[in-house]
Amino acid sequence: MRLSLLLPLRQTPPLAGLGRCRLSALSCRRLSTGPGPAPQPAIGQDSVEVLGRSHSRDDFTNVTPKILAKVGRNLHNQPHHPLWLIKERIKAHFYSSYIGRWGNPLFSVHDNLSPVVTVEQNFDSLLIPSDHPSRKRGDNYYLNRKMMLRAHTSAHQRELVRSGLDAFLLAGDVYRRDEIDASHYPVFHQMEGVRLFSNHELFAQVQNGEDLSLLEVGGRRTPQKQETHSLEAVKLLEFNLKQTLTRLVTHLFGGDVEIRWLDCYFPFTHPSFEMEVRFQGDWMEVLGCGVMEQELLNSAGAANKLGWAFGLGLERLAMVLYGLPDIRLFWSQDERFLRQFRVQDVHQAVCFQPLSKYPPLHNDISFWLPEESEAGRESFEANDFYELVRSVGGDLVEKVSLVDEFTHPKSGRRSQCYNIIYRHMERTLTQQEVRLVHEQIERAAEAELGVQGRY
């Protein structure tokens, strides 16, 4: 189960209502939006410079120049970018559908919090165990052992709840080391929502609701609820959550969309669910959600409330709703791409007209893997190779696939062969220029990953 999809959800109109004054304590962690050029990120011998701050390097530092160059681009805040359009559609739906007692939007929106977070924010604040595989260095971008680029926008969940917010949407760029294909990219964008309820708010519409309680003493954890929650409260909360998300997805996909719910697991919600929609004949996962773990709320100073949270990927929704075939397109500066999304109304339908499809070039790379470490652990991870390919080839690389594995019958040495597809989004590549890039990848793999080439 990928963490990305809840809380797999993920910039900023004025904060609604009281959210404006409650967030004063967070102002120092916001991205600068003032005039003048943004500070350029850089990786030095002893430090990493990002968003105007210096972070000491250590043995965990694995962020690369190409990834740092994406920090601060904030595609979801660029007017008329497809990710901005999706974010604005979701925001407009919540603004119009959920109104507070004073006539203001119930949900505030936060889309400009810095993607540089502490490891504690990204994992510990969400109750993710210290040995959870999602913490692996091979899956994340670390500035050092204490700081990283957030792997999900949920890294800010506790601080926003602690600031006094009961209902908010949060959007931003997130960073994960991953495979390379048309639907995966090391930087993507999430949007999530959180809503908390007091005893009165949840039971106000229930007959004799004053006799019901959010919490109970001496309960036990079951598949339906947490040990401190009353079953009545959880069922009402679950109904409200699913109703809210069904309305959102119907707003995005149309009234005739088919929806189904699946039980799943996230470390920071219980019970937890995934929503799938029927799209072009197949079931497609669009978001994850669930009842927030009470321990998380307790640590954020909201022990007397219950809450739900959901998360979704903006790229996935945009690719489906606008018919975009390749995730690299979101980073394109090609005017033929960008002008298709300059619409007068964010709700206006857009059907992407493909740019010229330039021919792919295929090149294979084979190598012997390094020996296992003394502790018996694999000394080669595929994600490290994918990251190296991205660092050298950048967006020229469309896909990397493992096509063959071989174990020598006598020595026991293992080798792998990967196929790398190169394709530029805006022009035709030549085999000569691709070969230069491919040779750089070969040399870098031997120097940095300890493999032995079989070229």
Side-chain angles (χ1 to χ4, degrees), residues 138-201:
D139 289 348
N140 300 283
Y141 290 105
Y142 286 93
L143 303 181
N144 52 45
R145 282 186 172 270
K146 293 185 177 180
M147 304 297 296
M148 64 187 297
L149 298 179
R150 64 187 170 207
H152 44 200
T153 51
S154 305
H156 304 286
Q157 200 174 95
R158 185 178 65 183
E159 64 191 276
L160 291 176
V161 171
R162 183 176 284 162
S163 73
L165 299 178
D166 287 340
F168 58 86
L169 301 176
L170 172 60
D173 44 331
V174 298
Y175 299 78
R176 298 225 190 99
R177 299 170 102 223
D178 211 338
E179 57 197 284
I180 302 176
D181 59 33
S183 62
H184 291 87
Y185 200 81
V187 189
F188 57 105
H189 299 76
Q190 290 185 335
M191 192 163 187
E192 69 180 69
V194 168
R195 186 171 184 189
L196 308 185
F197 293 85
S198 66
N199 210 88
H200 172 74
E201 288 168 329

Side-chain angles (χ1 to χ4, degrees), residues 66 85 177 184 294-295 322 340 345 364 446:
K66 277 192 167 59
L85 288 177
R177 299 170 102 223
H184 291 87
Q294 196 61 31
E295 186 180 340
Y322 300 140
Q340 297 188 43
D345 182 350
D364 288 346
E446 291 191 337

Side-chain angles (χ1 to χ4, degrees), residues 80 85 339-350:
H80 302 290
L85 288 177
R339 68 186 177 206
Q340 297 188 43
F341 299 94
R342 294 196 185 108
V343 293
Q344 292 185 335
D345 182 350
V346 296
H347 301 294
Q348 183 175 328
V350 177

Side-chain angles (χ1 to χ4, degrees), residues 366-438:
S366 300
F367 43 71
W368 293 106
L369 302 185
E371 301 293 333
E372 290 185 355
S373 67
E374 292 183 4
R377 292 190 297 268
E378 291 283 351
S379 54
F380 175 87
E381 287 195 27
N383 268 3
D384 292 335
F385 177 63
Y386 297 145
E387 188 59 33
L388 181 144
V389 172
R390 282 198 189 279
S391 295
V392 177
D395 286 355
L396 293 183
V397 179
E398 180 176 272
K399 186 175 183 179
V400 178
S401 305
L402 176 64
V403 294
D404 186 50
E405 291 189 272
F406 170 72
T407 302
H408 195 282
K410 293 184 178 179
S411 68
R413 295 185 70 191
R414 295 173 53 222
S415 76
Q416 291 183 341
C417 176
Y418 290 85
N419 176 253
I420 302 178
I421 301 177
Y422 299 87
R423 191 200 309 258
H424 201 289
M425 303 299 292
E426 297 163 13
R427 64 179 177 84
T428 299
L429 292 172
T430 67
Q431 184 60 51
Q432 182 178 11
E433 63 181 317
V434 164
R435 187 61 212 167
L436 292 175
V437 175
H438 199 72

